[in-house]
Amino acid sequence: MYSIAVSACTQCFWRPLVDRCNIAAKRLKELFTGLVLGVYEKENGSDATPFTQAAASFDRSVSGKLGETLSISGPPLKKGKCRIFYGLHQDFPSVAVVGLGGKGAGLCGSENWESGRENVRAAVAAGCRQLQELEVAHLEVDPCGDGQSAAEGATLSLFEYDELKSKRKTPPVPRLHGSGDAEAWQKGVLYGEGQNLARRLMEAPANHVTPTVFADTIEQKLAAFSDRVTVHKRPQSWMESEQMGAFLSVSKGSEEPPVFLEVHYTGNPNSSQAPLVLVGKGITFDSGGISLKPASGMDAMRADMGGAATVCSAVITAAALGLPINIVGLAPLCENMPGGKANKPGDVVRAKNGKTIQVDNTDAEGRLILADALCYAHSFKPRALVNAATLTGAMDVALGSAATGVFTNSDWLWDELHKASVATGDRVWRMPLFQHYTKQVTESALADLNNVGKYSRSGGACTAAAFLKEFVTAEHWAHLDIAGVMSNKDEVPYLRKGMSGRPTRTLVELAAALAAGL
Ligand code: BES
Ligand code: MG
Ligand code: ZN
């Protein structure tokens, strides 16, 4: 594992290389390679450093110097922590040793995730970030017993949205190299890149990612798979002919044209199996409309297309992985703005299925655009229908960023989503779809439904879900309220601060499980 394409001058030791060799400084920089190696926590009574396989073999190649230096460098390395050692190996001038916690850490019932995998993601992330600070051009990463998680940790940890800054804060992202199982590594890279795409779309300002730009970006990304993918960017006239009165009532408050994005991935062309249909809320900016939001923090509403971003990124990732499954991805895309034609509190609109909706609060716009998208989704007779939406502030109040709230009419789909989220570490938590909440949205003075619950603040995430349920007849449907997990401060250690792109990997994992018939 320790021979990589950087050994141009391996006879001489690294630092004095500048003086001894004739390589221009710039070229030399291109050769800087960092190495991330894992170490477990010591078990009781054992003296030997519990290195991973790769770390142990590296230690042997430097005659035990890594173990020696590590033990004199301080107390045993804690889980998720990192220490850098210089000059141990001529090919790797800097080596980051990262703490993996206890060996054999597995499923944790109370935490609802695979601790071992989360530990690998967090530890590798810490190592990668510190080595990036040293401006290494290449990074070789120990699989730490789980190449996919190591690749996810590495890929996710290095992402930063700084394309619009003339002076970038962090050094360039090093090229990643996985050692060990190439397939697992590659899978992890694709999972991580999928989530990073969602992060980029969410973080980007709303004047850069308009509905049109969003749809064009997804179309471009899917062009590589044109043999298995079709993309439709439906214009306003199509929405009108589809009688999507609820969606149109939101989009008409803005000058920006709406787009209904529809992508089909045919990964299993010979199957007669119904598709998995994914629907994502695509509000590229949510000002609240006439029920205007307060100014403070409103900028975060550029990420109100997180549902569309995670869903579309999941379809792209499924295509990149070549998953043998058919998926339809749908994203109603528009802005929620207080224009002259915007919804006014008390207005009544008609959704695609004929139901009338009294719009008492124009800031509850996500459920309006999803109502029509969910109606349309049924035309594909989905085997499972999953929608993702940054739908309610109440979801954030309830669970914060710990888990996505899942409202579902199907125990089978719940199990699948739960299993998938345990594997990815995204976590989901089941929420109720009681009639109790349905009553609060079906008692409207002027229409069949009201877009806000009767007791406005109480159970806000649940009344929103009950509202969506009025547009669902599918046997297996799940609504994922991702408002709480939309952004990351420092809760997820392998993601930098900013929009999180969660739960893209869980949607991919779900598709993979359904494809494998698990
Ligand atoms: N996009 C927001 C929900 C949101 C809030 C997402 C914070 C992420 C972080 C949604 O459109 C909204 O404004 N919902 C209202 C609903 C209310 C008016 C019933 C809310 O949660 O306040
Ligand atoms: Mg809103
Ligand atoms: Zn919104």
Side-chain angles (χ1 to χ4, degrees):
M1 98 175 236
Y2 303 111
S3 56
I4 118 169
V6 294
S7 37
C9 211
T10 47
Q11 299 92 328
C12 35
F13 209 67
W14 197 262
R15 290 288 168 194
L17 202 63
V18 192
D19 319 318
R20 281 196 255 156
C21 309
N22 239 350
I23 301 174
K26 187 168 167 283
R27 173 88 183 94
L28 185 67
K29 229 176 159 182
E30 285 165 18
L31 301 179
F32 277 164
T33 296
L35 178 61
V36 178
L37 293 172
V39 61
Y40 296 101
E41 260 164 25
K42 270 198 179 161
E43 276 164 22
N44 282 347
S46 152
D47 272 348
T49 315
F51 280 131
T52 61
Q53 244 185 349
S57 99
F58 178 88
D59 190 42
R60 279 194 299 277
S61 79
V62 294
S63 320
K65 268 205 215 118
L66 180 66
E68 255 171 54
T69 335
L70 182 63
S71 62
I72 58 168
S73 66
L77 204 53
K78 291 218 173 73
K79 189 172 83 178
K81 297 288 179 207
C82 166
R83 238 171 256 163
I84 310 256
F85 300 99
Y86 302 98
L88 285 176
H89 192 288
Q90 59 188 12
D91 289 344
F92 302 100
S94 1
V95 175
V97 179
V98 297
L100 292 168
K103 205 169 179 169
L107 176 70
C108 180
S110 55
E111 286 298 326
N112 266 251
W113 62 30
E114 296 271 0
S115 302
R117 292 190 186 188
E118 279 293 281
N119 291 350
V120 171
R121 291 183 191 108
V124 165
C128 287
R129 258 188 234 145
Q130 285 218 29
L131 289 172
Q132 181 184 29
E133 287 302 323
L134 299 177
E135 300 189 35
V136 299
H138 296 266
L139 250 178
E140 183 149 343
V141 181
D142 178 351
C144 302
D146 183 343
Q148 182 182 342
S149 299
E152 288 175 3
T155 312
L156 291 168
S157 69
L158 296 172
F159 173 87
E160 178 134 70
Y161 183 81
D162 54 7
E163 358 187 306
L164 302 175
K165 293 184 175 166
S166 3
K167 221 174 174 188
R168 295 189 174 186
K169 222 173 42 199
T170 35
V173 174
R175 276 197 57 186
L176 289 170
H177 308 268
S179 47
D181 179 351
E183 204 177 307
W185 175 265
Q186 192 49 29
K187 193 173 163 198
V189 168
L190 290 177
Y191 271 58
E193 283 177 348
Q195 183 167 345
N196 285 349
L197 171 62
R199 290 163 91 185
R200 187 162 72 78
L201 287 165
M202 290 169 76
E203 193 71 77
N207 63 332
H208 286 232
V209 177
T210 60
T212 307
V213 170
F214 183 104
D216 290 348
T217 308
I218 299 302
E219 186 181 37
Q220 263 168 31
K221 297 274 173 196
L222 284 169
F225 316 104
S226 56
D227 54 330
R228 284 162 287 150
V229 169
T230 49
V231 176
H232 305 276
K233 296 183 286 184
R234 315 287 196 188
Q236 181 168 329
S237 55
W238 179 87
M239 296 155 209
E240 283 160 2
S241 66
E242 289 289 325
Q243 300 186 296
M244 295 185 163
F247 179 24
L248 285 162
S249 78
V250 177
S251 70
K252 69 187 168 56
S254 160
E255 295 291 319
E256 204 57 60
V259 179
F260 192 100
L261 180 64
E262 175 177 336
V263 303
H264 293 242
Y265 165 61
T266 315
N268 197 357
N270 304 320
S271 124
S272 55
Q273 197 159 50
L276 164 65
V277 179
L278 303 175
V279 181
K281 170 178 172 182
I283 295 291
T284 58
F285 188 73
D286 181 10
S287 70
I290 298 297
S291 316
L292 197 65
K293 285 182 183 293
S296 159
M298 201 203 271
D299 69 291
M301 286 300 111
R302 67 184 182 279
D304 206 21
M305 28 56 80
T310 52
V311 155
C312 293
S313 300
V315 177
I316 293 167
T317 309
L321 289 161
L323 294 182
I325 184 175
N326 299 332
I327 310 178
V328 178
L330 304 173
L333 296 156
C334 71
E335 290 181 339
N336 185 25
M337 295 290 281
K341 292 207 164 98
N343 271 328
K344 304 168 290 294
D347 279 2
V348 174
V349 301
R350 188 183 298 274
K352 184 171 163 59
N353 67 352
K355 289 196 182 181
T356 53
I357 306 164
Q358 181 174 337
V359 183
D360 271 356
N361 191 319
T362 67
D363 198 9
E365 84 297 340
R367 63 198 79 181
L368 296 175
I369 69 167
L370 286 173
D372 283 334
L374 286 169
C375 290
Y376 180 63
H378 285 79
S379 60
F380 303 102
K381 301 196 172 38
R383 66 192 277 205
L385 172 57
V386 177
N387 75 260
T390 47
L391 203 64
T392 63
M395 192 67 244
D396 184 38
V397 172
L399 299 183
S401 59
T404 290
V406 174
F407 301 80
T408 178
N409 59 3
S410 161
D411 291 345
W412 166 76
L413 189 52
W414 161 250
D415 274 349
E416 293 295 337
L417 277 162
H418 183 250
K419 271 190 285 181
S421 77
V422 165
T424 59
D426 270 332
R427 295 203 285 207
V428 292
W429 194 254
R430 192 163 183 178
M431 301 285 291
L433 276 173
F434 300 142
Q435 279 299 313
H436 175 95
Y437 302 112
T438 302
K439 280 197 209 125
Q440 297 180 20
V441 290
T442 49
E443 286 171 22
S444 159
L446 305 175
D448 300 331
L449 290 166
N450 199 300
N451 82 328
V452 285
K454 207 162 57 164
Y455 312 114
S456 60
R457 281 173 49 83
S458 305
C462 307
T463 48
F467 179 95
L468 294 183
K469 187 164 166 266
E470 292 302 299
F471 300 88
V472 172
T473 54
E475 198 186 337
H476 302 289
W477 163 67
H479 153 53
L480 276 50
D481 193 332
I482 60 171
V485 301
M486 176 178 86
S487 63
N488 191 57
K489 289 167 281 299
D490 57 6
E491 309 92 306
V492 181
Y494 46 88
L495 301 177
R496 285 194 170 114
K497 186 173 177 312
M499 299 307 170
S500 73
R502 290 168 73 191
T504 304
R505 286 179 300 114
T506 301
L507 295 170
V508 177
E509 189 71 8
L510 171 74
L514 297 188
L518 295 174

